[in-house]
Amino acid sequence: MRTGSEPTTARSALRMRLWLTLWGLAWAIFGTAAFALAGRPGWAAACGVLWLVVTVDLAMILRHRRQGPHYQPGRDIPPYRPPEHRHP
């Protein structure tokens, strides 16, 4: 049953986002180092900016995971409030 509040109460797959972020972090670090050593400062800067964005995303994911059920309810808790009145 849909309540209309799904966009504000949707849950994300934080475990999958964590692993994808760690994978992206490893490649951003590698890319920054490789392009810097290869003498490509523009590409190294682009990878450095990506490194920064991925690090901020990682911090947000870890923060949300630490909040536990407050942010990410378990499977036994529905992601929405059931409607109070049923319409026939």
Side-chain angles (χ1 to χ4, degrees), residues 11-80:
R11 294 179 280 185
S12 66
L14 289 178
R15 185 177 300 143
M16 181 179 66
R17 278 184 61 196
L18 175 68
W19 288 111
L20 288 173
T21 301
L22 290 173
W23 181 252
L25 183 66
W27 278 105
I29 292 170
F30 173 75
T32 303
F35 284 122
L37 291 174
R40 302 278 192 170
W43 284 104
C47 286
V49 169
L50 183 62
W51 184 355
L52 178 66
V53 169
V54 170
T55 303
V56 169
D57 188 38
L58 180 63
M60 290 181 63
I61 291 169
L62 292 176
R63 179 175 175 257
H64 288 166
R65 284 182 56 104
R66 274 192 223 117
Q67 287 178 343
H70 172 71
Y71 179 78
Q72 188 83 1
R75 294 180 186 193
D76 56 338
I77 301 172
Y80 57 85

